[in-house]
Amino acid sequence: MGYFTSLLQRKFKDVAGTRYEAVAREYREFLLTEEEMVVPEVSSILMPLDYFVKEIPPALYETLSSYEGAKVTLVYIIDMEVIRIVEDSLDEKAIAEFRRKRESFGEDLLNRAIASLEGAGLSVTSRMFAGKKFDNILELMQESDLIAVSKTYGTQTTEIAPLSSVTLRLAQMANIPIIVY
């Protein structure tokens, strides 16, 4: 019998009786089970980046460095929806300039992140491509043990919405541990 199981049984012995399973099920979001108390082994970390991720806090590098031997995959995704909108409204020269600026920003962000992660002792690979941010991350997430995503990934945040809609959906749908920074 695990710690939390015995705690629930002692706490609710007079109240819950045969309702122990129902109480445990209803409160499972608030209490960790024995399985959840085990720190999962992390050997691959996915870290999606985009135009809205301006800066990565140094504390994240320290946190990720605690996963010794983990390989970090940095992925910078240029949003194809934005490219399509630009293509519909601007000429070829403006489209090429827009894309060049986004790629330049991405390369700079990737290079800074690579240097910081390698400085923290982590193995790093990176890639940049145009695609659908949410869908591509869901696919890439299947090959990872952990995801570290910015709260501004996909769009800017506001006081009313301190977490981007893409990050919120990723957190809700992730079947692996997630760090939101």
Side-chain angles (χ1 to χ4, degrees):
M1 180 181 306
Y3 173 73
F4 289 111
T5 304
S6 72
L7 176 68
L8 282 175
Q9 287 179 342
R10 280 182 290 153
K11 179 73 176 166
F12 297 104
K13 71 178 178 180
D14 297 327
V15 178
T18 59
R19 287 194 45 217
Y20 167 74
E21 288 81 19
V23 170
R25 197 172 40 253
E26 289 173 17
Y27 288 92
R28 74 174 177 257
E29 294 179 19
F30 303 103
L31 298 172
L32 294 174
T33 64
E34 288 77 25
E35 297 84 26
E36 293 170 325
M37 292 284 291
V38 176
V39 178
E41 187 174 322
V42 173
S43 60
S44 60
I45 302 168
L46 176 63
M47 196 167 159
L49 304 170
D50 73 345
Y51 182 75
F52 297 102
V53 180
K54 304 292 186 201
E55 196 172 315
I56 301 167
L60 178 66
Y61 300 125
E62 292 175 29
T63 302
L64 296 180
S65 69
S66 66
Y67 298 106
E68 292 181 27
K71 182 181 90 170
V72 179
T73 302
L74 295 171
V75 179
Y76 185 89
I77 301 176
I78 300 169
D79 196 350
M80 279 306 299
E81 293 300 316
V82 174
I83 297 294
R84 280 192 211 117
I85 291 168
V86 170
E87 287 175 345
D88 290 343
S89 57
L90 300 175
D91 64 0
E92 290 293 321
K93 186 177 180 182
I95 294 167
E97 179 66 17
F98 175 81
R99 196 170 192 137
R100 186 193 63 73
K101 285 183 179 180
R102 289 289 168 107
E103 289 173 356
S104 174
F105 177 84
E107 288 173 8
D108 181 53
L109 182 61
L110 284 171
N111 290 334
R112 284 185 286 136
I114 289 169
S116 297
L117 287 165
E118 287 177 344
L122 292 161
S123 169
V124 184
T125 59
S126 67
R127 49 189 285 218
M128 179 189 311
F129 61 90
K132 292 185 176 184
K133 294 178 184 189
F134 180 75
D135 296 337
N136 292 131
I137 295 305
L138 276 182
E139 290 172 23
L140 294 169
M141 198 185 321
Q142 304 308 315
E143 303 164 9
S144 302
D145 299 322
L146 175 92
I147 182 170
V149 62
S150 171
K151 62 183 176 180
T152 61
Y153 179 73
T155 186
Q156 289 291 342
T157 58
T158 64
E159 279 187 34
I160 297 170
L163 202 63
S164 78
S165 60
V166 176
T167 301
L168 182 60
R169 285 177 49 206
L170 284 172
Q172 291 171 336
M173 297 184 74
N175 56 358
I176 59 173
I178 183 167
I179 297 174
V180 178
Y181 61 91

